[in-house]
Amino acid sequence: MNDSIRQYVTDNRETHLNELKEFLKIPSISAISQYKGDVRKAAEWTAESLKKAGMENVEVIDTPGHPVVYGDWLKAEGKPTVLIYGHYDVQPVDPLELWETPPFEPSIRNEKLYARGASDDKGQVFIHVKAMEAILKAEGTLPVNVKFCIEGEEEIGSPNLDPFVEEMKEKLAADVLVISDTPMLEKGKPAICTGLRGLCSLQIDVKGAKGDLHSGLYGGAVQNSLHALIQLLASMRNEDGQITIDGFYDRVKALSPEEKEAFQKLDQSEEKLKEELEVSELFGEKGFTALERTWVRPTLEINGVYGGFQGEGVKTVIPSEAHAKITCRLVPDQDPEEIVALIEKHIEKYTPPGVTVTTTRHDSGRPFATPIDHPALQAAAKSYEAVYGTPAVYTRMGGSIPVVETFNRIMGLPVVLMGFGLPTENFHAPNEHFHLENYDKGLLTLCHYWFELEAVMKR
Ligand code: BES
Ligand code: MN
Ligand code: MN
């Protein structure tokens, strides 16, 4: 990589950080309809920044939901084409009172940039744009062809992106897909993520008597909807942390001894994790390490339970209704539709007497895993090493980016998940932030990467 590129990045650092702050000021919360206009504003902002970077054919493409932003630069004849995916939407910000500075008023403290979306994923999208801008401005050309596809519905499960990819697969055609939306292993330890978990989700609604009842008049005569729900939920997991839904583990691929060893070599301390999370003990499926349980084992979690009396004091009531929201993290080769069906079957079988249960399916996404030997992954490892001075490790991750599997399946693309976030940067939580160290190094790593990629993927 040429010094002029580095120079451009250094000279414009202040300006670029201010631009990123403008991006972060837009409350592009995809989940809340009230922010629909702001989500579009963020899309338009993204489009403008692509144009400014020198991208061509920039478009804000409408979908039945929030728009997708596209832009390309395709003048590197005979060179590989990279598709860069990311998301400009962000998670809701509640609880607002726990933010030290407001979520949409970006501020820098201790070399960290605080704002909703700073790390997940606006900050990481931004360094991709600026890496291309830096190379183009410094050299007048790029070592690869590039297509950006930045969406606005990732945080709600990308409901419209699968059909979008299907429809646009010619327009999006590329040799490799590159995404920065995953954390590094820890500070100073870059990681290339080789697998993500999938997801399925279910809302459970329990109905007992026609309305709330006086527990003196009717207690002992009818089923209590909350008891019934709790009994039902309790039947889904045993004391050893195993999910007791019939068939749940049937398609789960066992971890190979090599993978097991590779995980051990990452030397992640469970003791440290315990302290960090302030729990008395870690917990999960028996027979697996915490790392294995979060990366390559499936889970079922209750995300919320509500119903009955919530006010001050006592109310002698038998609640008529009870509700729960559950999600499962899935691993290869589990299928979200199949798992949801198994859960529904379980619910039918184990519903306690005296109530009716209805279920509603929500978001889903398939799990994904890739071998580490693709040259595009190896080139990523090399680029990290050039900038961070330490080789990148190969990890899996427990989070989900639903469209990754879609790109891989529909377009047959190899996927490089090279992230610059940190697991401690409060993704989805109050005080989300992005370490400026990784903003700077990430930007340079990406600049390096496009040259490395050109070298290894020469056609
Ligand atoms: N960037 C995350 C995905 C992620 C987080 C990958 C941590 C690896 C480690 C992404 O924005 C995200 O939050 N995805 C959601 C998807 C869901 C809403 C369908 C998730 O994982 O909960
Ligand atoms: Mn993300
Ligand atoms: Mn997220």
Side-chain angles (χ1 to χ4, degrees):
M1 183 179 82
N2 231 312
D3 267 351
S4 56
I5 299 171
R6 205 181 296 267
Q7 196 62 47
Y8 181 86
V9 170
T10 316
D11 290 347
N12 290 281
R13 185 173 189 266
E14 205 58 38
T15 319
H16 289 172
L17 277 175
N18 284 332
E19 282 177 33
L20 174 54
K21 284 183 186 166
E22 292 304 315
F23 192 18
L24 291 170
K25 279 182 194 166
I26 308 170
S28 48
I29 305 173
S30 51
I32 307 178
S33 51
Q34 175 199 338
Y35 292 97
K36 197 170 191 283
D38 292 299
V39 178
R40 174 164 291 273
K41 230 168 105 186
E44 276 154 13
W45 194 96
T46 306
E48 280 313 306
S49 78
L50 286 173
K51 282 183 200 160
K52 194 191 274 179
M55 293 299 120
E56 303 178 337
N57 305 308
V58 176
E59 280 177 84
V60 174
I61 306 172
D62 280 320
T63 75
H66 301 301
V68 176
V69 183
Y70 175 87
D72 62 28
W73 190 94
L74 303 171
K75 294 175 176 166
E77 212 184 307
K79 303 284 170 67
T81 300
V82 300
L83 176 63
I84 298 172
Y85 164 86
H87 61 96
Y88 65 80
D89 65 323
V90 300
Q91 283 275 325
V93 295
D94 54 288
L96 192 58
E97 65 279 8
L98 294 185
W99 286 78
E100 282 168 24
T101 49
F104 298 111
E105 292 174 27
S107 86
I108 293 175
R109 296 193 293 283
N110 303 324
E111 294 303 299
K112 295 165 207 155
L113 174 56
Y114 284 82
R116 169 59 83 230
S119 184
D120 182 15
D121 182 35
K122 284 175 172 171
Q124 301 199 59
V125 165
F126 185 79
I127 57 176
H128 269 283
V129 178
K130 289 303 164 191
M132 292 301 178
E133 176 178 319
I135 304 174
L136 262 180
K137 293 278 145 83
E139 315 240 293
T141 181
L142 294 175
V144 291
N145 297 293
V146 56
K147 298 176 178 180
F148 278 91
C149 174
I150 312 296
E151 73 149 321
E153 298 193 309
E154 197 279 339
E155 297 292 11
I156 52 171
S158 306
N160 294 297
L161 210 59
D162 275 27
F164 181 89
V165 172
E166 187 73 65
E167 197 182 314
M168 300 276 178
K169 61 182 176 221
E170 262 102 70
K171 187 186 180 81
L172 300 175
D175 299 300
V176 58
L177 171 64
V178 178
I179 301 175
S180 298
D181 192 24
T182 47
M184 314 201 312
L185 188 62
E186 57 188 62
K187 199 169 180 337
K189 271 200 193 159
I192 295 164
C193 177
T194 65
L196 292 163
R197 288 196 287 188
L199 192 85
C200 65
S201 50
L202 204 63
Q203 158 104 19
I204 305 173
D205 300 297
V206 179
K207 174 99 173 135
K210 65 173 185 183
D212 286 357
L213 300 175
H214 190 294
S215 72
L217 284 172
Y218 299 104
V222 294
Q223 178 64 278
N224 176 312
S225 63
L226 271 166
H227 276 278
L229 174 63
I230 288 162
Q231 197 178 318
L232 188 55
L233 293 174
S235 73
M236 294 181 184
R237 195 182 81 174
N238 69 19
E239 281 168 17
D240 291 331
Q242 293 151 339
I243 305 309
T244 45
I245 308 283
D246 233 3
F248 187 77
Y249 293 104
D250 283 3
R251 292 190 198 275
V252 175
K253 270 199 187 139
L255 196 61
S256 73
E258 295 76 36
E259 286 170 308
K260 222 176 158 65
E261 199 192 317
F263 283 10
Q264 256 146 22
K265 280 211 184 111
L266 296 176
D267 198 26
Q268 294 296 289
S269 157
E270 298 205 354
E271 203 51 42
K272 212 172 112 199
L273 182 62
K274 201 174 96 177
E275 276 163 31
E276 211 174 274
L277 302 179
E278 297 177 22
V279 289
S280 58
E281 263 184 74
L282 296 178
F283 178 82
E285 194 188 352
K286 200 174 169 181
F288 297 93
T289 66
L291 207 66
E292 291 164 356
R293 298 195 306 257
T294 49
W295 286 1
V296 293
R297 299 296 298 173
T299 58
L300 180 153
E301 303 276 355
I302 304 170
N303 306 116
V305 177
Y306 53 103
F309 178 60
Q310 315 275 323
E312 192 182 338
V314 179
K315 188 180 183 193
T316 50
V317 66
I318 302 171
S320 152
E321 286 182 21
H323 312 271
K325 288 173 187 284
I326 62 175
T327 52
C328 297
R329 294 283 174 180
L330 308 176
V331 299
D333 292 323
Q334 286 177 304
D335 175 73
E337 302 294 315
E338 189 181 348
I339 295 295
V340 174
L342 292 176
I343 299 171
E344 288 165 347
K345 213 166 123 198
H346 178 99
I347 291 173
E348 237 168 75
K349 188 164 165 198
Y350 291 97
T351 294
V355 292
T356 51
V357 177
T358 50
T359 55
T360 315
R361 297 178 181 196
H362 289 289
D363 302 337
S364 71
R366 290 171 204 264
F368 167 78
T370 177
I372 67 167
D373 51 13
H374 195 279
L377 267 76
Q378 301 292 328
K382 245 173 126 174
S383 310
Y384 273 120
E385 186 161 6
V387 175
Y388 283 82
T390 171
V393 293
Y394 294 96
T395 61
R396 299 274 288 258
M397 292 279 164
S400 311
I401 307 174
V403 77
V404 168
E405 191 274 344
T406 313
F407 278 123
N408 183 251
R409 178 170 36 89
I410 295 183
M411 298 172 58
L413 288 182
V415 184
V416 181
L417 295 161
M418 50 187 312
F420 301 97
L422 288 178
T424 54
E425 285 179 331
N426 294 357
F427 281 26
H428 299 194
N431 304 309
E432 178 179 350
H433 56 276
F434 190 23
H435 282 64
L436 291 181
E437 176 195 345
N438 294 324
Y439 168 92
D440 291 321
K441 289 185 176 162
L443 214 170
L444 285 181
T445 302
L446 292 172
C447 290
H448 262 276
Y449 184 50
W450 305 131
F451 291 96
E452 288 289 346
L453 201 64
E454 179 208 358
V456 299
M457 291 187 75
K458 272 213 169 95
R459 296 182 298 183

